[in-house]
């Protein structure tokens, strides 16, 4: 099945892909309109006039308006996926569904974003990013705030529960890694998996270093969790995976195998650099990505730390403190 056929097939089952613009490097975000009872929208796009215009137009193409929406499902906590939720909630009586552990985070958007920035700054310091860069990145992050919004979740979802619509049931699957709140929606009758940013065809999904949703300050091993989640998704007998960006995935097992192999290769590359001499995560990121480690500092840092976690779990690498900064060295 080609990706065009996959979209056509989804359409025939009442699931329409809406492609909403974002100001971010990732480009458009995929939202999904499910024509069922309740009339359902999966993700909203970011909080901008342009995104709102497009959402309205694309809903109108299917004969609907924002006020008609009865349920909005949020797949995860990232602002490119949920920024319009406040506008939608003010214009419709839609219920808002999201995984239960994300409810408080979503309700206190400003506080959550401040705490996320704080958490990111302390990690960047620890992993060797210079202080002036950390300040600069913080103001970049603040400038993105307006694209998000707070969301009042009226329908918290538990992992494993079934979300019942008139014509279909969607099994809720909490699969953290890309973010702590990543949630997949599995329609086993139709073998369609709505996967958001958990699995994307054209780019590997970044397991971002994230503050835990339970408020503790223990850093979760994002890549380790992500790989566990991917292995579970590999077992799902999906025919079509509908992602949060780009084209549908029609062979998720092959794509997941490719991703797992890529991460293993990247871990070995990092191991070779660490065995050569002890380095900070930031130095490792610069070795692998050059200047991109500066322009995309947090992203590349997340990549490095995720892979070093794999090596530390295998006892091949250990962390050595040097003042406020930590370096990684080989254990033998
Ligand atoms: Zn995301």
């Amino acid at each position: 099945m080609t990706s065009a056929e996959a979209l056509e097939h989804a359409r025939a089952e009442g699931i329409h892909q809406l492609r909403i613009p974002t100001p971010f490097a990732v480009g458009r975000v995929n939202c999904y309109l499910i024509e069922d009872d309740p009339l359902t929208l999966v993700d909203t796009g970011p909080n901008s006039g342009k995104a709102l215009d497009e959402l309205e137009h694309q809903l109108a193409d299917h004969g609907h308006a924002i006020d008609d929406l009865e349920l909005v499902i949020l797949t995860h906590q990232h602002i490119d996926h949920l920024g319009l939720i406040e506008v939608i909630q003010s214009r419709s009586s839609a219920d808002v569904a999201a995984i239960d552990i994300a409810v408080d985070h979503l309700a206190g958007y400003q506080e959550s974003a401040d705490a996320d920035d704080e958490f990111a700054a302390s990690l960047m310091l620890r992993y060797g990013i210079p202080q002036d860069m950390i300040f600069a990145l913080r103001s970049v992050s603040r400038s993105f705030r307006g694209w998000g919004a707070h969301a009042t979740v009226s329908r918290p979802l538990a992992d494993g529960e079934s979300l019942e619509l008139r014509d279909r049931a969607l099994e809720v699957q909490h699969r953290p890694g890309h973010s702590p709140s990543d949630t997949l929606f599995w329609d086993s009758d139709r073998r369609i998996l709505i996967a958001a940013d958990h699995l994307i065809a054209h780019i590997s999904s970044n397991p971002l270093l994230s503050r835990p949703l339970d408020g503790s300050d223990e850093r979760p091993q994002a890549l380790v969790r992500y790989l566990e989640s991917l292995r579970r998704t590999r077992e799902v007998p999906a025919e079509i995976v509908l992602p949060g960006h780009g084209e549908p995935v029609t062979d998720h097992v092959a794509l997941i195998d490719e991703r797992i192999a890529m991460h293993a290769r990247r871990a070995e590359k990092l191991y070779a650099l660490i065995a050569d001499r002890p380095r900070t995560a930031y130095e490792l990121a610069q070795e692998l990505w050059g200047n991109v480690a500066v322009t995309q500092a947090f992203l590349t840092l997340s990549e490095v730390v995720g892979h070093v976690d794999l090596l530390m779990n295998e006892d091949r690498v250990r962390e050595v403190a040097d003042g406020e900064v930590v370096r990684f060295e080989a254990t033998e």
Side-chain angles (χ1 to χ4, degrees):
M1 195 182 340
T2 65
S3 53
E5 286 164 351
L7 280 182
E8 189 49 53
H9 183 81
R11 254 198 298 279
E13 299 292 352
I15 307 175
H16 306 279
Q17 187 184 69
L18 312 181
R19 301 181 66 242
I20 306 300
T22 80
F24 306 110
V26 69
R28 286 180 183 251
V29 60
N30 297 331
C31 304
Y32 295 94
L33 172 69
I34 306 178
E35 289 188 299
D36 201 322
D37 184 6
L39 183 68
T40 300
L41 181 68
V42 180
D43 285 345
T44 71
N47 187 12
S48 79
K50 199 169 165 209
L52 180 59
D53 270 0
E54 290 245 11
L55 179 63
E56 285 184 308
H57 280 121
Q58 294 183 42
L59 286 171
D61 289 343
H62 298 286
H64 302 291
I66 285 186
D67 353 340
D68 302 339
L69 294 172
E70 295 166 312
L71 174 66
V72 180
I73 297 174
L74 301 177
T75 60
H76 67 299
Q77 67 207 63
H78 289 159
I79 58 177
D80 52 332
H81 294 260
L82 61 72
L84 282 175
I85 190 64
E86 245 180 286
V87 176
I88 294 173
Q89 283 191 297
S90 72
R91 290 209 202 160
S92 71
S93 51
D95 262 322
V96 175
I99 193 79
D100 46 13
I101 54 161
V103 171
D104 292 344
H105 181 96
L106 297 173
Y109 172 57
Q110 294 296 343
E111 297 78 10
S112 303
D114 282 339
D116 286 348
D117 281 357
E118 197 73 48
F119 181 79
S122 71
L123 286 183
M124 289 192 278
L125 190 66
R126 175 180 171 83
Y127 292 123
I129 293 191
Q131 190 62 257
D132 56 335
M133 254 174 82
I134 298 176
F135 280 127
L137 287 165
R138 197 155 188 167
S139 66
V140 172
S141 167
R142 283 217 188 85
S143 72
F144 285 141
R145 281 296 164 81
W147 304 97
H150 87 273
T152 308
V153 176
S154 53
R155 177 79 167 82
L157 303 170
D159 182 27
E161 86 165 90
S162 179
L163 184 59
E164 304 284 337
L165 282 64
R166 184 192 58 214
D167 299 336
R168 74 199 75 213
L170 300 172
E171 187 189 309
V172 175
Q173 301 185 341
H174 180 221
R175 297 291 179 267
H178 165 70
S179 86
S181 52
D182 296 346
T183 312
L184 280 47
F185 296 88
W186 168 231
D187 182 337
S188 60
D189 292 336
R190 292 171 180 77
R191 296 195 172 207
I192 295 177
L193 180 65
I194 298 174
D197 290 2
H198 173 66
L199 191 63
I200 298 173
H202 64 293
I203 41 170
S204 76
S205 204
N206 313 97
L208 290 167
L209 292 173
S210 304
R211 192 172 55 92
L213 292 171
D214 65 7
S216 74
D217 39 41
E218 176 112 6
R219 176 181 69 77
Q221 295 192 323
L223 180 61
V224 171
R225 291 179 92 186
Y226 179 60
L227 290 171
E228 282 165 13
S229 291
L230 271 188
R231 290 194 176 94
R232 297 179 74 181
T233 302
R234 195 183 182 282
E235 302 308 312
V236 175
E239 273 173 5
I240 297 173
V241 176
L242 297 173
H245 302 275
E247 301 298 325
V249 175
T250 50
D251 190 350
H252 69 297
V253 171
L255 184 61
I256 289 170
D257 286 346
E258 222 176 88
R259 292 284 186 264
I260 290 173
M262 182 275 284
H263 288 299
R265 280 197 308 275
R266 188 164 286 173
E268 289 314 314
K269 220 169 173 176
L270 284 164
Y271 180 74
L273 289 168
I274 293 166
D276 174 46
R277 65 176 168 84
R279 298 173 210 245
T280 67
Y282 180 54
E283 287 166 346
L284 290 165
Q286 285 176 303
E287 281 295 330
L288 288 192
W289 293 290
N291 194 47
V292 179
V294 178
T295 56
Q296 300 270 29
F298 195 65
L299 211 67
T300 51
L301 193 70
S302 294
E303 282 288 327
V304 167
V305 173
H307 291 86
V308 170
D309 282 341
L310 295 174
L311 297 167
M312 289 205 294
N313 292 354
E314 292 170 1
D315 287 325
R316 296 170 68 197
V317 163
R318 66 174 156 247
E319 210 175 81
V320 183
D322 174 7
E324 282 179 311
V325 174
V326 299
R327 288 197 161 68
F328 300 109
E329 65 177 33
T331 50
E332 50 190 85

